[in-house]
Each structure stands twice: as structure tokens, then as C-alpha cells.
């Protein structure tokens, strides 16, 4: 059984108390890095990858991600579809139990690592039309394929930085939204403008406009919805300034 992650930032429902946690687990991850699930990793993202740092700090997190990786890395497309479907069904049932919105982030850590795996996700997204999925990828082939599937319940972003801006420009021309990362929000605006002609909106959680999580509420992403609804280009800052 593939394992979901309980990510405070994206959860549709938090627990109560002074230190709220995710009550609903609505994200999925794989180990990061070129040696694992990130074929499109750039020097910029490898340097600042927050998810990769969490893998190093928290042994339980690393073990969960490796568990998922070992199940999918060599599996056939049918087996991957079955495993992902069981996981999403479990998530859907959990949402029904707590009355939570069915929103699911694909890859809080990791990426679409090959065509077989990407196609499996497309099948699952198509089958679960009552779930709104969103994802960021640095794999141009995965972005092109998923965009071509015209999945109405998937918000797709290509993660761009100074090292993959040529690929990002091509994908932007194809209509794929960009999530641009740079050292500062101003740098990200300049880069986004040069790639796609769009300024992009600075991530409200990073700017401090929306808190990471609040008791008995939703996580920042679930409250913001910019990426979930996928209507705008997004900017992220390494320094959060």
C-alpha cells in the first residue's frame, strides 16, 4: 500500500489545539534527487530543496518516501494504477469521514520519474473526477503529456528557474502555467516576465499573508487556492523576501 503524507501546508483540515497538525493526509511523495525520482532536477532546486532536507532530518519521513519509491520504481503501469487508486480511495474515504474538501497534491517531494508512472497518474486523475489534484514538475516530458491529457481536475505547473528557462518558455507557449523560483520575489518576477511575459503572483504563505496552518482550519494552500485552481502564474522566493 502506498502511503500518503500529512502535510500541514496543504491539508484541507487541521486538528485543534495550540500546535495544529494535518487531520487529513492529502499529499504524496517520493525521494527527491537525480538518483531517485527527479530527472529534471536543476542545480537551483537541488541546492535549496526543502523536501530533500526533511528527508535528511526526519528518518520516518525518509522511510515513508523510500517505501513508496520501492513500490513504484520498477512496477508496470497497471500495478501503479492499482496502487495509486487504492491510495486515493483511502484519501477520499477519509475526506468523507471528516467532511473535508477533496484536494490532493501530487509530489510534495519527488517528481514524475518516467513515462509509465506519469501515464498511471493521468489514469487515476481521470478516474477520480471528484478530487481536485495539483502538481508541480520539472520534467518537461511529463508536463507536456499531462497538459495534452486535458484533465479538468488537474492544476499543472512547470517549476522554472534560471537553469531550465528555455524549456519553461516552450511549455509556457503551449499553455502550461509556470511556478518560478528565484532568490527573491523581485528576481522571480523578472525571470517570470522574461520567460512568459507574466509577472506571476508571490506565494501568499511565503509572504506571510496566509499562515501555514491554523487550528480546525485548512493549511495555507487549501485556504489560498491559487495553485489548486491553477488560474495564475506563481512566484516562489528562496529567501522569502
Amino acid at each position: 500500500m502506498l502511503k500518503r503524507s500529512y502535510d500541514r501546508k496543504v491539508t484541507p483540515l487541521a486538528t485543534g489545539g495550540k500546535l495544529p497538525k494535518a487531520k487529513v493526509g492529502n499529499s504524496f511523495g517520493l525521494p527527491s534527487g537525480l538518483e531517485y525520482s527527479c530527472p529534471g532536477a536543476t542545480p537551483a532546486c537541488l541546492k535549496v530543496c526543502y523536501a530533500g532536507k526533511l528527508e535528511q532530518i526526519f528518518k520516518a519521513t525518509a522511510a515513508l518516501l523510500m517505501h513508496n519509491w520501492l513500490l513504484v520504481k520498477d512496477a508496470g503501469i497497471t500495478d501503479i494504477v492499482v496502487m495509486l487508486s487504492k491510495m486515493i480511495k483511502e484519501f477520499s474515504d477519509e475526506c468523507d469521514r471528516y467532511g473535508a474538501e477533496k484536494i490532493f497534491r501530487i509530489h510534495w517531494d519527488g517528481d514524475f520519474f518516467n513515462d509509465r508512472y506519469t501515464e498511471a497518474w493521468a489514469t487515476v486523475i481521470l478516474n477520480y473526477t471528484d478530487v481536485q489534484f495539483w502538481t508541480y514538475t520539472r520534467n518537461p516530458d511529463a508536463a507536456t503529456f499531462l497538459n495534452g491529457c486535458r484533465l479538468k481536475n488537474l492544476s499543472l505547473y512547470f517549476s522554472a528557474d534560471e537553469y531550465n528557462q528555455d524549456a519553461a518558455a516552450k511549455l509556457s507557449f503551449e499553455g502550461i502555467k509556470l511556478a518560478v523560483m528565484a532568490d527573491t520575489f523581485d528576481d522571480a518576477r523578472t525571470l517570470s516576465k522574461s520567460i512568459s511575459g507574466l509577472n506571476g503572483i508571490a506565494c501568499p504563505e511565503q509572504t506571510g499573508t496566509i499562515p501555514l496552518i491554523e487550528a480546525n482550519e485548512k493549511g495555507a494552500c487549501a485556504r489560498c487556492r491559487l495553485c489548486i485552481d491553477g488560474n495564475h502564474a506563481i512566484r516562489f522566493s528562496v529567501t522569502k523576501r
Side-chain angles (χ1 to χ4, degrees):
M1 186 75 178
L2 293 172
K3 296 181 179 179
R4 292 172 290 138
S5 294
Y6 285 71
D7 187 335
R8 295 188 300 161
K9 184 176 180 179
V10 307
T11 187
L13 183 62
T15 61
K18 293 183 179 180
L19 297 174
K21 299 179 181 179
K23 192 168 186 177
V24 173
N26 67 324
S27 61
F28 177 73
L30 295 170
S32 61
L34 290 167
E35 68 273 33
Y36 290 111
S37 68
C38 298
T42 66
C45 72
L46 289 172
K47 180 179 179 180
V48 303
C49 181
Y50 75 92
K53 292 177 181 178
L54 291 177
E55 293 176 32
Q56 297 175 14
I57 296 172
F58 299 105
K59 292 183 178 180
T61 298
L64 182 151
L65 297 169
M66 186 59 66
H67 167 86
N68 290 339
W69 174 246
L70 293 175
L71 286 176
V72 300
K73 71 182 183 72
D74 296 319
I77 185 169
T78 300
D79 289 336
I80 299 174
V81 168
V82 169
M83 288 187 284
L84 291 175
S85 296
K86 288 181 178 179
M87 180 183 68
I88 297 301
K89 176 63 165 57
E90 180 186 66
F91 155 74
S92 181
D93 290 344
E94 188 171 73
C95 288
D96 289 339
R97 184 161 63 252
Y98 294 121
E101 184 182 11
K102 295 182 181 181
I103 53 175
F104 195 92
R105 178 174 176 181
I106 303 172
H107 300 140
W108 73 269
D109 191 1
D111 204 343
F112 299 99
F113 58 89
N114 64 25
D115 294 344
R116 184 174 65 252
Y117 174 74
T118 306
E119 290 175 21
W121 263 116
T123 299
V124 173
I125 294 168
L126 183 63
N127 289 340
Y128 282 86
T129 56
D130 62 332
V131 177
Q132 174 63 32
F133 297 87
W134 84 101
T135 191
Y136 315 88
T137 181
R138 274 187 166 80
N139 182 339
D141 292 337
T144 297
F145 175 80
L146 291 170
N147 185 57
C149 291
R150 306 300 179 193
L151 299 163
K152 295 182 179 180
N153 58 325
L154 172 67
S155 175
L156 171 68
Y157 281 89
F158 183 74
S159 295
D161 57 52
E162 62 177 311
Y163 292 96
N164 64 359
Q165 56 184 302
D166 290 341
K170 179 181 178 181
L171 295 171
S172 176
F173 183 76
E174 295 175 3
I176 297 172
K177 294 175 290 297
L178 301 182
V180 177
M181 180 190 74
D183 285 342
T184 68
F185 287 118
D186 285 343
D187 290 340
R189 180 191 293 111
T190 299
L191 183 57
S192 180
K193 189 78 172 179
S194 70
I195 295 173
S196 66
L198 300 174
N199 289 324
I201 297 176
C203 169
E205 188 277 326
Q206 282 201 326
T207 62
T209 305
I210 298 177
L212 179 71
I213 193 170
E214 290 185 330
N216 300 312
E217 286 286 346
K218 301 176 180 180
C221 293
R223 295 180 67 188
C224 171
R225 296 200 65 90
L226 281 173
C227 295
I228 295 171
D229 294 334
N231 295 324
H232 301 280
I234 304 295
R235 282 183 281 138
F236 293 101
S237 165
V238 175
T239 60
K240 297 186 179 182
R241 60 178 176 81

